[in-house]
Amino acid sequence: MMRLLLPLVLLMMAACSGVYSGSDGDDNTFSAFATVDSKGWPYSEPFEFEPDTLRDSVATGRLLVSVRHGKNYGFSNLWLEVAYDGPDSTVVADTINVALADPYGKWLGSGMGLSFQVSDTLPGAFSIARHRPVRVRHIMRLDTLEGIERVGIVFIP
């Protein structure tokens, strides 16, 4: 039993540490994650993800936003703004309401212990371009949001 448990624990620890950004090079998938400061996530500070590892200069597909939060998060949802530069250099912004708990207060998503991870997909097709950053910021009615641990994006062609 212990022989099976140790590799699983090591795999989970590796998945939870550090910042990952990249693609496997065989296709145009891209993912990037950032860790939120333990003091909270200021409203005025978006996370910026640079998709510079895409194989093609522009790819179209679906964009997922992923959030990991602790049990101390004080709300049942999280409003996010996802902004990026369009092909004509105008800023395009989408908003997404990520449900983190059901109406009864039970946390959604997956997780063990004190953290839960939830992903949601932006509606419609999404065009991502190499060297055009994707910015994610919270648009909750707080200056500094506490309880969010990590934020990331996953692009699937």
Side-chain angles (χ1 to χ4, degrees), residues 8 31 57 67 82 89-90 99 104 108 115 120 122 131 137 149:
L8 180 62
S31 61
S57 59
V67 176
V82 179
S89 297
T90 59
Y104 303 103
L108 303 172
S115 294
D120 205 346
L122 264 65
H131 307 302
R137 72 179 178 118
E149 299 170 358

Side-chain angles (χ1 to χ4, degrees), residues 24-92:
D24 62 11
D26 293 336
D27 56 22
N28 280 318
T29 59
F30 173 79
S31 61
F33 296 87
T35 302
V36 177
D37 189 291
S38 62
K39 296 176 185 169
W41 184 7
Y43 178 83
S44 61
E45 294 182 17
F47 287 105
E48 191 168 287
F49 304 105
E50 181 87 27
D52 54 2
T53 59
L54 292 176
R55 184 189 67 209
D56 297 331
S57 59
V58 177
T60 302
R62 308 290 286 168
L63 187 72
L64 285 78
V65 178
S66 188
V67 176
R68 187 169 76 193
H69 66 91
K71 287 186 174 184
N72 65 334
Y73 184 70
F75 305 95
S76 64
N77 67 333
L78 173 63
W79 280 96
L80 297 172
E81 176 186 79
V82 179
Y84 53 96
D85 297 330
D88 56 356
S89 297
T90 59
V91 175
V92 179

